[in-house]
Every structure is written in structure tokens, then in C-alpha cells.
Amino acid sequence: MTGKGSGAMIRMAVVGIAVVSATLLVGCSVADPLASDDLELGSPIATLTPSLAAATTGPCPTSAPTPIPEASLPASLDEETREPARRRTEYGLRHDLAWIRRVAADPTAVLDFGVPMLPAETASLFARNDLPDPVRRVLDVYGHTDEFGGLYIDNAQGGVVVVLWTTDPAVHDAAIRPKLPPCHPVEFRQVRWSESELRGWQDRISADMDWLTDIRAKATGVGADISDNVVDVDISSANPEAADLIVAHYAAPAGMIRVISDGTGAHLLPSGTVVGRVLQADGRPPGPNDLMLDSGSPGWCGGGDIGYGVGEDGGIEFPCKVGRRTILVKDWVPDQHAEHPVVASLVVQVPAGGEVEVEIRLPVGFDPGATP
């Protein structure tokens, strides 16, 4: 992949964090909101939720609530507006319909996050990566690790750093907040289990997974979900009883383990490899490109979070499960629907433990090097 792939990795770090509802919200605004449609496109656009309590260093500036979309979006609403409304709500950006349409029409809008945003909006999202740093520096000295539940960024609240504790969060708030920069967007919440407990169970589960084949399941990932205060066990299985059997086997405290199954059992099948080349319609190599490989159904091809691209010479090497598989060639740059369009495809029969060689031609008129 090209530099856009690197940008996507940053994006995952910023917006891939789960959002939970606030129970004790304290913070301050870092930018003024756009409260009406009579404002210029160059105005600030990302806000933090206003303070509901004064910080220990004194009251923080507050702002008017960010406009919210209609409670129920019209059924006839075009997808070009519906998806940005959902995505902007998730990110804590302004998301009323009039604003969404104005941004979409702005020639400076970019698609770094899959939907049209102003450059200042994307910059505000990337900047959230730095918000936990001052908090971590204080926590390194503060200790209380046996009570610490972890921290994450609540994006729906505009980028609030949420710090979790198994004991009274007000006590930790009083000890930590005075050591942070004035009005730093931070919130303290209470959870059942400490991060060390979650990580401990994560390690125990990871060391004891061979038995899963007995229940026709295969683990595809194990990890602590800090924001939800659980340990996720991702599996591939068509066994409807697999989740209950896994929870019973590990006998962790009730509610700590969450099993997520793909429902297919695809990962239990043996694998083969699709090799070959993706060429332009006239047979020339694609050269520098933003093409990526995908398959018709999740789990049948690829390697989880690993991306598979197309070389400048058109070369591809794509692991797939045995059987009849559809290989999709997609453009990494999203279209107006925030989707990666399929530009070519091919159905192949993948052999167990072997390779199948293919040649995929791009459509006439498609320029793989034309994307920005």
C-alpha cells in the first residue's frame, strides 16, 4: 500500500476506540461550536462537551451544545448524507444535515475518514492522539495500579480522555486533575475490573486455546476491551453453543468474557494461496497504485487486520481458505458513499496447501495511478 495506507493506520488509532456514555463528565471546550447555518466554513468545528463541573483550577470555558441531527433521519435521505451523519456523530463533530451538505460541497473537503470533512476537522481528530499524554505522565507517578482500569478517548464527547478506576472515581479526580494542564479534557469513571485483572485473564485465555477445536471453534483474537471493561475472545465457528461453552470453560468472573463469533467456522478450513498479477486492460502493469485485495465474504481470505495490496508490477499473493472464492480488487480511495469501490473481480477454486495462479484485468479506462 502507499502512503494512504499509513494514514489509515493513524485513523484507526484515533477513531477505532469504543464510545461509552458519560457518568461523570468534566472537561472544557477547545473550540467554539457552529450553532447555526449562518457561519463560514472556515469556522472552528470540533468541540468538547461543556463542563458540568468546575475543574479544581477554576471554571473552564464552556460552549453552546453542538447541533445534533434529527432524532430519526428521513427514510428518503440520500446515503451521501446519512453516512456522514452517522460517522460525525461517532466522532463528536458537528453533524446537523445542513452542515453536512455544506461541507460536502466545499472544494477543500477531504476524505481521510471516509466521509467529507474540512481539513480543520480532520486535524482536530488526529490531534486527539496527543490528549492522553499529560494524563499518562501523572498516572506514572500516581500509582494505584491495582485500582486502575485503563484509559481511552471518548470520541463522541469530542475527545475526552476517560480514566477508569475500580474505586470511587471522585477520589482519583481530586488527586489527579490539579496536576494536569488547566481545562484538560479528562473524565473519571468507575468499572468492575482493573486493567491488570483484564490483562491477566487475557494471558490465561491465550495460553489455553488448543481445546477449542473440540467444540469446532478457532480463536482469531483475544484482547482486553478497556472501554467496555471486558476481555473479548474472537472466534471462528458455526457452532451456536460455542460462546457459552467458552465462558463456562474459563470460569472467569461473570460478565468479564465476551465471545464474538463470525458464525461461519471459516478459519477451521485448510488454506491455499492465490498468486498472480493484476494488469491494466491492455496488459500493462498497473505501476504505483492504491489497489487492495478483498474477498466476497469476511474470513474466507486475507489475514485479519493485515492488508494485501497490488505491487507496481501487478504481483499479488493472497491467502484464502479452500474452496470457491471471489477475489475482489478494490480502490483504496473511498467513493462518495465512503465505500472502497470494486474495480475488478475473479472467481477461483483455491486448493488446500497449494497455489492457484490468476490474471485479473482492470476495466478499460480505469487508471490505477489516477487517485490522489
Side-chain angles (χ1 to χ4, degrees):
M1 301 303 294
T2 66
K4 290 191 184 72
S6 300
M9 293 297 288
I10 298 174
R11 173 188 169 221
M12 290 173 64
V14 178
V15 303
I17 306 171
V19 173
V20 300
S21 57
T23 55
L24 171 67
L25 181 58
V26 226
C28 73
S29 171
V30 294
D32 297 329
L34 295 179
S36 75
D37 294 326
D38 300 325
L39 300 172
E40 297 298 323
L41 286 177
S43 303
I45 34 62
T47 64
L48 292 178
T49 303
S51 285
L52 299 183
T56 55
T57 54
C60 293
T62 60
S63 60
T66 301
I68 59 173
E70 293 84 347
S72 178
L73 295 175
S76 60
L77 185 66
D78 57 282
E79 190 62 28
E80 289 84 353
T81 307
R82 184 181 300 276
E83 176 60 16
R86 184 196 67 78
R87 192 74 61 88
R88 286 171 163 274
T89 303
E90 177 185 342
Y91 297 164
L93 296 175
R94 179 175 177 178
H95 46 266
D96 55 287
L97 301 185
W99 176 250
I100 290 171
R101 289 175 176 134
R102 290 181 66 185
V103 172
D106 188 278
T108 68
V110 295
L111 293 171
D112 293 356
F113 288 78
V115 298
M117 293 182 185
L118 298 181
E121 290 180 305
T122 60
S124 74
L125 293 180
F126 285 122
R128 294 179 187 178
N129 277 332
D130 298 326
L131 291 174
D133 293 345
V135 182
R136 289 193 180 101
R137 286 192 288 270
V138 175
L139 291 174
D140 286 343
V141 178
Y142 181 61
H144 295 268
T145 55
D146 58 330
E147 305 166 48
F148 177 61
L151 63 77
Y152 66 98
I153 301 173
D154 188 335
N155 283 296
Q157 298 297 331
V160 175
V161 180
V162 179
V163 189
L164 305 173
W165 301 95
T166 59
T167 51
D168 186 359
V171 173
H172 303 288
D173 187 332
I176 294 171
R177 189 179 296 277
K179 298 179 175 63
L180 296 172
C183 289
H184 196 71
V186 64
E187 175 184 330
F188 300 81
R189 300 178 187 168
Q190 190 164 10
V191 291
R192 293 178 63 185
W193 297 293
S194 68
E195 182 175 13
S196 61
E197 289 177 292
L198 295 178
R199 300 294 182 194
W201 277 98
Q202 171 187 313
D203 292 343
R204 286 182 226 176
I205 294 169
S206 297
D208 177 25
M209 294 193 298
D210 292 343
W211 71 278
L212 289 172
T213 55
D214 296 338
I215 61 169
R216 305 188 308 282
K218 179 179 177 63
T220 58
V222 179
D225 185 320
I226 297 301
S227 61
D228 284 353
N229 199 229
V230 297
V231 177
D232 281 334
V233 179
D234 295 290
I235 64 168
S236 179
S237 178
N239 181 357
E241 299 177 355
D244 291 339
L245 292 170
I246 289 170
V247 171
H249 175 86
Y250 293 117
M256 179 182 279
I257 294 178
R258 179 172 61 189
V259 180
I260 303 170
S261 175
D262 64 4
T264 67
H267 286 266
L268 294 169
L269 296 174
S271 297
T273 306
V274 178
V275 299
R277 301 178 75 193
V278 175
L279 302 174
Q280 297 191 55
D282 59 6
R284 290 180 297 131
N289 65 83
D290 287 299
L291 301 174
M292 62 181 183
L293 302 178
D294 199 355
S295 59
S297 299
W300 296 119
C301 291
D305 293 333
I306 300 173
Y308 290 83
V310 177
E312 292 188 14
D313 64 351
I316 62 172
E317 187 171 331
F318 197 34
C320 288
K321 298 301 179 181
V322 300
R324 186 179 173 86
R325 306 292 169 228
T326 300
I327 309 303
L328 307 176
V329 180
K330 293 185 174 182
D331 192 343
W332 176 256
V333 179
D335 60 17
Q336 68 270 27
H337 302 293
E339 299 289 341
H340 299 292
V342 176
V343 296
S345 65
L346 184 70
V347 176
V348 298
Q349 188 71 30
V350 180
E355 295 182 346
V356 56
E357 188 167 354
V358 301
E359 181 179 289
I360 303 175
R361 293 291 181 104
L362 298 172
V364 175
F366 177 78
D367 184 355
T371 54

